[in-house]
Amino acid sequence: MRWRVWFDRLLVLLILLAAWQGGSLWLGNYWLSAPWSVATRFFAALFNGEMVFHAGYTISEALAGSVIGGVPAVLLPFLLRRQPIVVAILDPFMVGGYGAPKLAFAPLFILWFGIGIESKIALVAAVVFFIVYFSTLSGVRALEPKLVQMAQVIGASERQVGRHIVFPGAVPAIFAGFRIAVPYAIGGAVIAELISSNRGLGYLVQTGAMNFDTTQVFVAILAATIIVHAFIAVIDLGERFLLRWRPRGAVLIADHGT
Amino acid sequence: MAGTPMLEIKNLGKRFPARAGREPPPWIIQDMSFEVAAGELLTIVGPSGAGKSTLLNIIAQIETASAGEIVFDGEHIASPEQKALHPGLNRRIGYVTQDDNLLPWRTTIDNVLFPLEVQGTLDDAARARAQELIGAVGLAGFERYYPHELSGGMRKRAALIRTLVYDPPMILMDEPFAAVDAQTRTQLQEDLLRLWSLKRKTIIFVTHDITEAIALGDRALVLTQRPARIAAEHPIPIPRPRQVKDIFTMPGFAAIYAGIRADVQ
């Protein structure tokens, strides 16, 4: 069963590469760089340290932004659990913040925080915050009232209910939020670099496009995709450990839901 | 039945609050009065939807009463004027609900220890007591299992000893064994009787199963369909210790069964 999945994945990868190669032959390597050229350049960049230099920068932005945006996004729904009115007042603003095209804020953040790493972190934080906030909020709201009553009957205080019932119950939703946020975090960092930066994967895309070097653009996109994969793998690992109490089936269903 | 009762229910009534501009909702419980003696195992039989769970919720202090009052151990705990609820009455009333309500992220042992952890009484002696209870209901070896890895009957046992472990003087049980198969239910009933014979808790055991009410109870109350009132009271003079699986063969069983059956609507 397991090897079958991997075999079929390999098959899909080969088909995609073949289509890519076909498109490259049809349009010409100049317009659509061939997979082989991209792979060669990718590994060259990996070994000469250029990839570490640029990808490391993007990863730092994504990590710092995820922490700065993600931690308050996780805490806020818990702090406001007993204040449904405050949550209701905030709701349209949160929906606005969630819905506003935050990538369009990138020029503003660069204006405010400069062309250094700060503006990129700010953009990532803004993107991650709203995604994780709504996910955590749904987890806090999906609370099982019967478990709360059970805890109250045995004498649990409000704080103990929060710590022993509400928080563990919301952990799956928090993980789901971060898992959804990962591509947006990397994407946000890359977009901000694209606009103004002298380092990072977005910078590679930018200079590649300026020099009509589609190979370099693809190398940067490939690197960003691999980073997203790696981040999600780490989240899955943490989830599998922290949510080992969940039946196997439930994990699968949650995976399909995201 | 000598001595002062552990629990007195006096003219208890319950209806949910009326919505503006609507007819007041009907009474769920009306003019209900009964007493429970210390150490008694009282069973309450009533049809589904009769308000049995509501009654226990009011005694457990997770719902308010609309009329009448409740006196627990000489103390007024519920009346219509009551402002705040005191769930579980400071750990003196345990409540085993229909759902086991085990915390899915805790293992068996951690679920059983949960009340002690919350109450700040978790020490080595308490751990030993918990381990003893786990052994007594046949859960030894399953301490590190999560609830979803346990069978329905095991989950019920874990929920039962989670309440016993902190030793509340009174325990409310709301059809705790309803959702398991007949054979497991008989075992659970025998487990309960064995544990109860060791430590004579005051128990109110609600069920819709007449046989269960007879097998377990010192006395059975029959409730009417909504609004719930006491329709009849049946003493159960079957001597203890009782064998639940042979309860049918006990002299007097048939007569008690027929009597209760006639009173259940």
Side-chain angles (χ1 to χ4, degrees):
Chain A
M1 186 63 207
R2 218 174 156 73
W3 67 265
R4 179 65 206 266
V5 169
W6 282 101
F7 179 80
D8 285 1
R9 278 175 182 166
L10 199 67
L11 209 64
V12 173
L13 178 71
L14 288 175
I15 291 168
L16 286 174
L17 285 174
W20 184 0
Q21 181 65 56
S24 176
L25 286 174
W26 186 37
L27 296 166
N29 206 26
Y30 177 76
W31 297 108
L32 179 55
S33 185
W36 182 251
S37 322
V38 173
T40 322
R41 187 86 73 83
F42 180 82
F43 283 108
L46 198 62
F47 293 128
N48 69 18
E50 198 190 354
M51 185 51 73
V52 177
F53 178 74
H54 291 292
Y57 193 66
T58 305
I59 290 173
S60 316
E61 292 160 0
L63 279 179
S66 296
V67 170
I68 292 170
V71 169
V74 167
L75 292 181
L76 205 57
F78 287 102
L79 295 175
L80 296 180
R81 185 169 69 88
R82 308 287 295 163
Q83 267 83 34
I85 294 165
V86 180
V87 173
I89 292 168
L90 286 178
D91 194 56
F93 303 101
M94 288 296 185
V95 172
Y98 180 67
K102 279 164 296 293
L103 299 185
F105 280 88
L108 284 177
F109 283 136
I110 288 165
L111 208 60
W112 296 334
F113 299 107
I115 59 161
I117 199 165
E118 295 87 352
S119 53
K120 284 85 183 177
I121 293 174
L123 184 67
V124 173
V127 171
V128 169
F129 174 81
F130 292 103
I131 296 172
V132 175
Y133 171 80
F134 277 106
S135 191
T136 307
L137 189 66
S138 75
V140 171
R141 282 184 174 163
L143 173 66
E144 185 59 68
K146 286 182 171 179
L147 294 184
V148 175
Q149 273 184 353
M150 178 276 294
Q152 287 172 335
V153 164
I154 64 166
S157 66
E158 203 44 62
R159 260 191 59 193
Q160 287 174 319
V161 169
R163 192 177 139 210
H164 294 295
I165 314 282
V166 186
F167 180 70
V171 168
I174 296 172
F175 268 105
F178 276 104
R179 185 206 287 266
I180 297 167
V182 164
Y184 291 92
I186 299 290
V190 169
I191 298 284
E193 287 164 354
L194 237 164
I195 291 170
S196 168
S197 181
N198 51 17
R199 204 179 155 181
L201 295 175
Y203 169 79
L204 285 186
V205 171
Q206 168 69 1
T207 51
M210 268 187 2
N211 299 325
F212 300 101
D213 180 0
T214 52
T215 308
Q216 187 176 317
V217 176
F218 274 112
V219 165
I221 292 171
L222 179 65
T225 309
I226 291 171
I227 293 167
V228 168
H229 257 299
F231 271 38
I232 289 182
V234 170
I235 289 177
D236 282 350
L237 217 64
E239 190 174 22
R240 206 169 301 163
F241 174 71
L242 279 173
L243 300 183
R244 61 192 179 282
W245 50 268
R246 280 205 299 189
R248 252 4 213 144
V251 177
L252 281 176
I253 288 159
D255 283 353
H256 287 299
T258 51
Chain B
M1 286 293 292
T4 51
M6 186 77 157
L7 185 79
E8 287 173 80
I9 310 282
K10 295 178 183 171
N11 310 106
L12 187 73
K14 175 69 181 178
R15 72 205 297 185
F16 288 102
R19 297 257 201 93
R22 291 220 198 141
E23 289 281 299
W27 290 93
I28 295 166
I29 297 169
Q30 201 172 28
D31 201 24
M32 183 188 284
S33 301
F34 63 90
E35 293 178 356
V36 190
E40 185 181 12
L41 204 167
L42 175 73
T43 50
I44 297 182
V45 195
S48 298
K52 304 185 298 275
S53 300
T54 308
L55 171 66
L56 292 192
N57 284 348
I58 295 170
I59 301 172
Q61 290 275 292
I62 50 183
E63 270 183 49
T64 52
S66 317
E69 55 184 324
I70 298 177
V71 181
F72 174 74
D73 207 8
E75 182 188 338
H76 286 257
I77 61 163
S79 66
E81 295 80 36
Q82 185 182 12
K83 289 282 184 287
L85 290 169
H86 306 286
L89 208 70
N90 295 325
R91 308 160 192 175
R92 284 186 294 158
I93 296 181
Y95 195 174
V96 182
T97 46
Q98 212 165 342
D99 304 315
D100 52 64
N101 287 334
L102 295 174
L103 299 178
W105 44 85
R106 281 177 174 252
T107 57
T108 306
I109 181 78
D110 287 340
N111 263 297
V112 173
L113 293 177
F114 181 58
L116 306 170
E117 208 179 310
V118 160
Q119 297 169 4
T121 54
L122 187 55
D123 54 21
D124 287 346
R127 274 179 210 279
R129 203 165 64 241
Q131 197 58 54
E132 199 179 315
L133 282 167
I134 284 175
V137 295
L139 282 175
F142 293 94
E143 291 90 341
R144 304 268 159 238
Y145 282 56
Y146 287 98
H148 77 86
E149 299 168 315
L150 301 176
S151 70
M154 291 164 124
R155 295 171 60 120
K156 298 288 178 196
R157 290 186 171 93
L160 175 63
I161 60 176
R162 174 180 60 190
T163 298
L164 293 175
V165 77
Y166 68 97
D167 217 16
M170 175 155 195
I171 298 178
L172 311 173
M173 306 187 84
D174 184 11
E175 304 199 33
F177 309 145
V180 293
D181 62 274
Q183 208 178 342
T184 310
R185 191 182 315 149
T186 308
Q187 284 166 5
L188 288 165
Q189 288 160 348
E190 297 202 329
D191 282 347
L192 174 66
L193 285 184
R194 202 178 61 247
L195 292 165
W196 179 73
S197 69
L198 298 174
K199 260 191 174 166
R200 288 261 168 167
K201 303 272 176 206
T202 310
I203 295 180
I204 300 181
F205 190 105
V206 156
T207 178
H208 64 261
D209 176 349
I210 298 172
T211 308
E212 185 172 57
I214 299 171
L216 300 178
D218 294 317
R219 188 164 57 108
L221 297 178
V222 180
L223 297 190
T224 57
Q225 189 70 269
R226 287 190 171 197
R229 289 198 194 88
I230 308 288
E233 182 186 334
H234 293 266
I236 304 165
I238 299 174
R240 296 183 190 273
R242 298 175 186 167
Q243 290 295 317
V244 176
K245 64 179 191 302
D246 301 328
I247 196 75
F248 310 92
T249 62
M250 297 303 286
F253 175 86
I256 301 166
Y257 189 95
I260 295 177
R261 188 76 201 86
D263 289 327
V264 174
Q265 290 168 327

